[in-house]
Amino acid sequence: MNELNFSDNIVKLRHKKKITQEQLADFIGVTKASVSKWENKQTLPDILILPELAAFFDVTIDELLGYEPQLSKEQIQKLYLELTEAFAESPFEEVMKKSEELTKKYYSCYPFLFQIACLWINHFMIAENQTRQTEILISISNLCSHIISNCRNISICNDSIILKSFADLQLGRAQEVIDSLEEMFNPCRLAVQSDTILLQAYQMNGQNDKANSITQINMFSHLLNLIENATWYITINSDNLSVCESTIERMNHIFAAYDLEYLHPNSVAGFYYQAAIIYCLHDKTQKAINKLERYAACVKKLWENEAFLHGDSYFTSIESWFEQLNIGNHAPRDKRIIINSAISALSHPAFTILSDMTAYQKIKQSLNEKGGIL
């Protein structure tokens, strides 16, 4: 990130133009002493002089001041990781204030603003009360609206629409979410066929390595989508144990076939957690314990793995994709927050039926030993 560096810039620009302080002063209509004070960081010029100075040196005002409102991917990643760590170590409102200040500072850097919205969506639930959580969700929705209205990058805009919809859903704005997403995810649209068309084009063009990489990325993404949809499917059908158990059995095969507990334990943990709730609702306590044990094992993998996102011996070409993400292969939340959230999740009312079971207490204890607070 570049801070304001007017004094050094004015010296460099003057030397490049091969003029003296006095010559610059004469052109602008100020004293030589004024120019000297600018260059020695004693004063700054009047704001009305900036356009004239910029025109004289044939630079923009931002270039003259040394202000760069855009951030590189590496800078965005560094800031995001610093803020996630701060959320685990510092008072919540202190970190929120810092992130809000950065938002104002880089209000036209849309990739960064999107990551700030992601940061807030991953941490709003640890705010001190429901009122504050609601305020943050509204801020997320508004920030995404700003991105959607002003950013020219279609991918960032589309991602912002989805993130805004998630925030709006938490705010109870169901109809707004439907209006935003219904057409975008219409399965009848030709856009759903774009992946295969692109793959055929790569192959036709002799770019087999590219086709191979894109195919692996698509397979991996669809597996994650399958997990998410299966989780919602058993939630929607929670009163139908037969449907839920059939879905759980099928997903167990998928998890094993693609080693998804290793590849993406976060998604698998969410499925196991919801499956445990379903079993508790139907008084299947032993099956619920089994799923919570798998849930805990996945959470521990998140703690132990260096990389949040990674490939394996089958998915050999997806890690370059992760490297292109603004936060790389890192987790969207600090590991300490992940563990504490996992422990807190075990307080779900559905698990009351398990509270006296030794196995349930062992699960809680095993997570607590990984750095939890309970």
Side-chain angles (χ1 to χ4, degrees), residues 23 47 93 111 114 122 124 140 216 218 229 289 316 337 354:
Q23 288 173 311
I47 191 171
E93 290 301 332
F114 176 74
N122 280 295
F124 81 93
I140 294 167
Q216 286 198 18
N218 287 342
N229 279 289
I289 289 292
T316 57
I337 293 178
L354 308 175

Side-chain angles (χ1 to χ4, degrees), residues 65 74 101 157 162-163 204 210 224 229 243 289 295 331 342:
L65 294 173
E74 291 75 20
E101 289 171 351
C157 287
I162 295 170
L163 196 60
M204 186 182 297
K210 189 76 172 178
L224 298 187
N229 279 289
V243 168
I289 289 292
Y295 165 75

Side-chain angles (χ1 to χ4, degrees), residues 216-230 251 254-255 257-260 263-264 267-268 314-315:
Q216 286 198 18
I217 291 169
N218 287 342
M219 290 171 64
F220 186 77
S221 298
H222 290 319
L223 282 169
L224 298 187
N225 287 335
L226 175 61
I227 298 171
E228 185 172 359
N229 279 289
M251 293 307 298
I254 296 291
F255 296 157
Y258 288 96
D259 199 11
L260 290 172
L263 275 173
H264 207 274
S267 293
V268 179
Y314 181 76
F315 288 105

Side-chain angles (χ1 to χ4, degrees), residues 7 10-11 14-15 18-41 53 56-57:
S7 299
I10 204 76
V11 173
R14 184 172 59 77
H15 287 170
K18 298 180 181 179
I19 61 171
T20 65
Q21 289 183 342
E22 188 172 4
Q23 288 173 311
L24 177 59
D26 288 342
F27 181 86
I28 299 299
V30 297
T31 65
K32 178 186 173 183
S34 294
V35 175
S36 178
K37 288 181 179 179
W38 298 345
E39 295 186 357
N40 289 313
K41 302 182 180 180
L53 277 170
F56 177 73
F57 288 116

Side-chain angles (χ1 to χ4, degrees), residues 114 147 151-162 184:
F114 176 74
I147 297 171
C151 182
R152 297 181 181 180
N153 185 307
I154 294 175
S155 296
I156 294 175
C157 287
N158 286 340
D159 287 345
S160 297
I161 290 171
I162 295 170
M184 180 184 290

Side-chain angles (χ1 to χ4, degrees), residues 13 75 151 155 172 227 236 245 268 314 334 369:
L13 290 167
Q75 290 169 335
C151 182
S155 296
I227 298 171
I236 294 167
E245 289 200 307
V268 179
Y314 181 76
D334 185 271
E369 290 171 355

Side-chain angles (χ1 to χ4, degrees), residues 226-264:
L226 175 61
I227 298 171
E228 185 172 359
N229 279 289
T231 304
W232 277 108
Y233 190 60
I234 62 175
T235 302
I236 294 167
N237 290 279
S238 60
D239 59 340
N240 190 328
L241 183 60
S242 176
V243 168
C244 290
E245 289 200 307
S246 177
T247 304
I248 292 168
E249 182 181 359
R250 290 167 187 256
M251 293 307 298
N252 286 340
H253 290 304
I254 296 291
F255 296 157
Y258 288 96
D259 199 11
L260 290 172
E261 285 192 18
Y262 168 74
L263 275 173
H264 207 274

